[in-house]
Amino acid sequence: MKLVHSQRSLYREVLVYEGRGVRCMCFTRDCRIGRQSCMDIRQPDRIVMNYPQMMLTALYANPEPSSVLIIGLGGGTIPRALEQLLPSVRIDVVEIDPAVVKVAKQHFGFKESARVRAIEADGRVFVKRAMREGRRYDLVMLDAFDHEYIPEHLLTREFLNEVKSLLTDRGILAANTFSSSRLYDHESVTYAAVFPTFFNLKKDNRVIIAANGALPSKETLEANSERFERPFRRFGFDASAMLPLFKTTPDWNQNARVLTDQYSPANLLNLGR
């Protein structure tokens, strides 16, 4: 892949590579540790990576959210898709790095609008402020990464409890994580401490989908997936093909230690994937 843009910010170097008709945002040279976002240059609506596809299946649990909070912008694939899918939705996208917002707009087609706003802030600071202001969201999506993994303060039980407090009664949480890492067990039991049962979708990445209450039934998921069969086809994937990914059986060590604000050790973030 060819480097077409490089911008250093207070937090990282934001790099844009192109190759074989695909443009990607990375936080490491030659995308050595993953890609933050990718776009098909010729078909910008086609969703290239698996994890945004899985994140969008949160709509099977709540197909008509009127308010969405996304922490972590990347190239803006998810807010762009949600704006098209949900004509009346209001979307707040929180991104700590102004350079990421600038690159998303210049190279990945992300645009703010009357329904989509980008807030440059630390995700946890925004969540705490939203709690004080009494805001509520039907859907919260966690997709914040640095050059190695999710920032430590966005992994803890305390943070997840704060996020849960922002959910409406029918609110849904979707979180993008890795499907294999030294943190997998710790991360899983931490989510389970706040959301005792959740859907565990795995395909390259792992996406956790949890509810502020009981999870929807298999029948509800199937019925809602049918609503998105045609729209998702426009984005390049099959809505019904995602249903087998919805699993709830734990595949982690349930005796692992929960991550907290006092225990979220940095050495675990050096992933040994």
Side-chain angles (χ1 to χ4, degrees):
M1 299 182 77
K2 178 183 177 182
L3 179 65
V4 296
H5 180 82
S6 174
Q7 183 170 343
R8 183 167 291 282
S9 73
L10 290 172
Y11 302 96
R12 58 179 69 92
E13 193 171 16
V14 183
L15 307 154
V16 180
Y17 287 89
E18 286 185 11
R20 298 183 180 179
V22 173
R23 178 180 299 153
C24 294
M25 177 190 293
C26 302
F27 293 159
T28 54
R29 289 277 165 176
D30 302 315
C31 302
R32 181 172 44 84
I33 305 178
R35 299 166 295 168
Q36 304 304 312
S37 186
C38 289
M39 181 181 75
D40 186 321
I41 298 170
R42 297 178 184 85
Q43 301 178 65
D45 281 346
R46 183 175 80 85
I47 296 178
V48 175
M49 301 177 75
N50 285 322
Y51 86 83
Q53 298 177 9
M54 291 192 289
M55 292 284 277
L56 289 174
T57 65
L59 296 174
Y60 299 176
N62 184 352
E64 296 179 349
S66 61
S67 55
V68 177
L69 170 63
I70 303 172
I71 296 180
L73 173 63
T77 299
I78 294 172
R80 286 194 296 113
L82 288 173
E83 188 178 21
Q84 294 181 57
L85 290 165
L86 306 168
S88 60
V89 74
R90 174 179 57 84
I91 304 171
D92 289 339
V93 188
V94 180
E95 171 56 54
I96 194 172
D97 193 342
V100 171
V101 178
K102 183 177 180 180
V103 170
K105 290 178 177 179
Q106 290 180 343
H107 295 276
F108 294 89
F110 173 69
K111 297 177 182 178
E112 294 185 79
S113 68
R115 296 191 293 123
V116 179
R117 65 170 183 157
I119 302 108
E120 294 174 2
D122 177 276
R124 189 154 184 187
V125 171
F126 179 89
V127 166
K128 287 180 178 292
R129 186 181 305 129
M131 289 170 59
R132 291 196 299 270
E133 295 172 357
R135 297 188 199 177
R136 294 293 182 268
Y137 294 91
D138 296 322
L139 176 60
V140 175
M141 295 180 144
L142 305 181
D143 191 23
F145 284 76
D146 58 26
H147 70 286
E148 288 187 329
Y149 197 52
I150 301 166
E152 293 176 35
H153 66 304
L154 305 183
L155 282 169
T156 68
R157 178 176 56 196
E158 291 88 343
F159 172 65
L160 293 179
N161 274 313
E162 292 163 4
V163 169
K164 187 177 184 180
S165 74
L166 297 185
L167 294 174
T168 60
D169 290 342
R170 63 191 185 104
I172 299 296
L173 170 69
N176 177 31
T177 79
F178 284 177
S179 60
S180 174
S181 79
R182 289 172 57 192
L183 266 179
Y184 188 87
D185 294 339
H186 298 276
E187 199 172 53
S188 300
V189 297
T190 303
Y191 272 86
V194 180
F195 301 95
T197 306
F198 54 81
F199 293 118
N200 198 41
L201 289 69
K202 294 170 73 173
K203 189 176 181 181
D204 296 336
N205 279 34
R206 186 251 293 252
V207 166
I208 291 169
I209 296 178
N212 189 17
L215 289 176
S217 66
K218 178 182 177 181
E219 292 73 22
T220 298
L221 294 174
E222 290 174 349
N224 288 336
S225 74
E226 292 175 3
R227 300 176 57 166
F228 294 100
E229 197 67 52
R230 179 177 292 181
F232 282 5
R233 199 175 300 129
R234 187 174 75 243
F235 295 124
F237 67 101
D238 185 339
S240 61
M242 308 298 283
L243 287 169
L245 300 177
F246 280 76
K247 299 178 180 179
T248 56
T249 303
D251 63 354
W252 54 84
N253 175 8
Q254 297 180 64
N255 295 317
R257 186 170 177 179
V258 170
L259 299 171
T260 67
D261 286 348
Q262 288 72 43
Y263 178 79
S264 187
N267 64 309
L268 288 177
L269 298 180
N270 295 321
L271 298 174
R273 296 175 62 190

